[in-house]
Amino acid sequence: MSAKRSTIALCTTPPLYDMSTIPVLRDQKILLGVTGSIAAYKAADLASKLTQAGAQVDVILTEAATKFITPLTFQSVTGRKAYADLWGDDAHVIHVGLGESADLLVIAPATADVIAKMAHGLANDLLTVTALAARCPIMIAPAMDVGMFEHPATQANLKVLVERGVTVIGPAEGRMASGLMGKGRLVEPVELLGHIRLMVSRGGPFTGRKFVVTAGGTQEAIDPVRFISNHSSGKQGFAMAQAALDRGADVTLIAGPNSLPPIVGVKLVNVRSAAEMADAVLKACVDADALVMAAAVADFRPEAEAEQKIKRGALDVYDLRLTKTVDILMAVAEQRERTGKPTLTVGFAAETQNLIDNAREKLFKKKLSLIVANDVSAADSGFLVDTNQVTIVDAGGGAAELPLMSKADVAEAVCERIERLLASKGW
Ligand code: CTP
């Protein structure tokens, strides 16, 4: 009888690490205060999201918070020591150090108790002492039962904090741990991350600049239930809006139908057809510094929209007559000749052949400053996917081919080019 030998196959593929941080949050020192609410567990998710984004997260838990969640949980997700509210020998040094070095203090969840203490300048634990010592901006996300939130005392305390410059986010409406419905839930971590991102972005290189960005495809109605559209997901346009916002811009995003979450801090204008998008863009561009047209606007629409649903009936063939839609960038170029606004326009060119030549032709025809050309027939590039491979063509004849990257990174690269262009032209 031969003995069977078992073999162990050694995995030779290195483990994968997700290195995609958010540039505006990279190396930001965020001090996260966690207080005694059932929503404290959500703060661990927020700490994790901030850490993954590249921020340096220090956590202070109040004694009540440690009844719901442990410092170890936070240490595990941040890779840094989490401070529980115990007065040790180094407490004095800690509160001054943390409060002074932080870029932002976020208290989430913030109970009625901590809000009251902050409003009255009480400082009897490590978190409230640190809040009083902190010289950085402060954001709080209240979480409590609806009755406590609506109580005149809590409302008065919040008013005092807002008057002192504290940013209050939420609470959200919905079902609370008590079973009651109402306003009192902690705003979801992903949304809090958006608010933090917005706060740290103010003062960036696009501060004081108004950007108009378009995203997604348009829908051209055939009848009340049918339309013509394209495969655009809106992802690249949304990424452009986020990147401009991250650099401090005031951003209006004009988007065709899409299923993407709204971006905290961006003014979203929803449109359906090319005509609606044209109206919204021309209006928003009256005082804009830059227009980024990432939308895949339909080139043709049905000549007339049927008032009632077209019946299948006995027809074997249905002739649909199409007519050209307005070229939004051409209309913007005309408006700019009259008003000088927007100062700068960026187009996107979706091509399946002769990428650079076609893009360059569009750049001159539509009087653009830059055009971002991508071959939508290539794998991993263009519609629906999260990655794109683009070439940025400028009006001076230059063409910079970028490697395959995430749409967020493409947006960063385009914003970098816009930043350089604005500076070089003295705009
Ligand atoms: N665009 C526009 N209005 C339209 C169609 C397109 O403003 N009615 C914009 C797009 O948002 C993009 C640029 O023009 O920024 C180029 O779009 P693209 O679809 O690549 O080119 P078209 O001009 O439509 O030309 P073609 O379809 O012949 O390639």
Side-chain angles (χ1 to χ4, degrees):
M1 199 173 74
S2 66
K4 266 194 182 165
R5 284 183 62 191
S6 60
T7 53
I8 298 169
L10 286 176
C11 178
T12 50
T13 337
L16 283 174
Y17 288 98
D18 182 5
M19 306 297 280
S20 50
T21 57
I22 296 173
V24 74
L25 285 169
R26 212 175 284 151
D27 301 325
Q28 285 286 324
K29 294 190 180 74
I30 311 287
L31 189 51
L32 176 62
V34 183
T35 65
S37 150
I38 179 59
Y41 74 93
K42 291 187 181 173
D45 188 19
L46 178 61
S48 169
K49 284 184 163 60
L50 286 166
T51 306
Q52 286 174 48
Q56 178 188 299
V57 186
D58 285 308
V59 180
I60 301 176
L61 296 96
T62 60
E63 196 182 344
T66 61
K67 303 270 196 284
F68 291 94
I69 193 162
T70 69
L72 183 62
T73 308
F74 290 97
Q75 276 168 210
S76 305
V77 295
T78 65
R80 298 175 63 80
K81 182 176 160 55
Y83 301 89
D85 191 30
L86 299 172
W87 285 104
D89 294 342
D90 54 354
H92 173 76
V93 183
I94 291 169
H95 81 257
V96 173
L98 291 176
E100 275 190 354
S101 64
D103 294 308
L104 178 67
L105 168 60
V106 180
I107 304 182
T111 55
D113 180 67
V114 82
I115 291 167
K117 282 179 180 164
M118 285 170 74
H120 292 87
L122 295 183
N124 61 352
D125 59 19
L126 187 55
L127 179 59
T128 46
V129 165
T130 306
L132 210 54
R135 293 292 164 259
C136 60
I138 300 178
M139 174 189 292
I140 63 167
M144 65 198 74
D145 229 72
V146 59
M148 294 169 75
F149 177 69
E150 284 174 355
H151 195 282
T154 307
Q155 289 301 313
N157 291 333
L158 281 168
K159 193 165 170 267
V160 166
L161 293 184
V162 170
E163 279 164 9
R164 285 193 201 134
V166 172
T167 302
V168 180
I169 305 299
E173 260 188 85
R175 186 186 185 280
M176 275 157 289
S178 62
L180 285 173
M181 297 291 290
K183 213 170 172 191
R185 282 172 63 89
L186 180 71
V187 167
E188 288 304 317
V190 67
E191 210 184 307
L192 287 177
L193 183 77
H195 285 283
I196 293 169
R197 195 170 176 170
L198 178 66
M199 260 187 104
V200 301
S201 71
R202 299 303 88 186
F206 289 166
T207 299
R209 302 223 183 251
K210 179 175 174 185
F211 272 61
V212 178
V213 180
T214 66
T218 60
Q219 292 181 353
E220 310 303 324
I222 297 171
D223 67 15
V225 295
R226 304 180 182 94
F227 56 79
I228 300 173
S229 193
N230 57 58
H231 291 299
S232 173
S233 63
K235 286 178 179 175
Q236 188 60 73
F238 271 60
M240 282 304 315
Q242 180 73 74
L245 187 80
D246 282 351
R247 285 176 149 72
D250 164 9
V251 182
T252 299
L253 174 61
I254 299 165
N258 65 83
S259 53
L260 300 171
I263 301 169
V264 174
V266 161
K267 183 172 167 232
L268 181 63
V269 180
N270 289 308
V271 295
R272 192 163 286 278
S273 63
E276 278 177 34
M277 185 172 277
D279 283 350
V281 168
L282 290 171
K283 210 168 131 205
C285 279
V286 164
D287 58 349
D289 295 292
L291 166 68
V292 181
M293 276 292 296
V297 189
D299 288 320
F300 295 94
R301 64 170 174 81
E303 203 169 47
E305 180 186 346
E307 265 177 42
Q308 304 299 332
K309 185 185 170 198
I310 298 165
K311 302 301 282 181
R312 189 179 155 90
L315 291 174
D316 284 331
V317 174
Y318 183 78
D319 283 322
L320 188 62
R321 238 179 107 80
L322 302 178
T323 184
K324 253 189 183 158
T325 57
V326 52
D327 188 316
I328 302 174
L329 278 174
M330 295 287 267
V332 167
E334 274 171 36
Q335 176 170 299
R336 195 180 44 200
E337 245 152 56
R338 281 181 281 114
T339 65
K341 289 283 182 177
T343 316
L344 176 154
T345 48
V346 180
F348 274 68
E351 304 292 345
T352 54
Q353 57 186 345
N354 302 330
L355 185 68
I356 307 300
D357 287 346
N358 284 340
R360 196 158 275 144
E361 203 184 307
K362 284 176 191 172
L363 179 135
F364 289 118
K365 199 173 84 184
K366 303 187 189 219
K367 301 189 171 71
L368 307 174
S369 313
L370 296 173
I371 191 157
V372 184
N374 70 330
D375 180 351
V376 283
S377 64
D380 299 328
S381 192
F383 294 135
L384 298 172
V385 293
D386 288 326
T387 49
N388 225 349
Q389 202 269 300
V390 305
T391 301
I392 305 177
V393 180
D394 61 48
E401 190 182 341
L402 305 181
L404 182 72
M405 48 174 76
S406 71
K407 288 184 174 173
D409 286 343
V410 167
E412 284 296 325
V414 175
C415 277
E416 245 165 57
R417 280 304 303 268
I418 295 175
E419 196 181 327
R420 272 193 275 142
L421 203 60
L422 288 168
S424 70
K425 303 259 185 194
W427 284 335

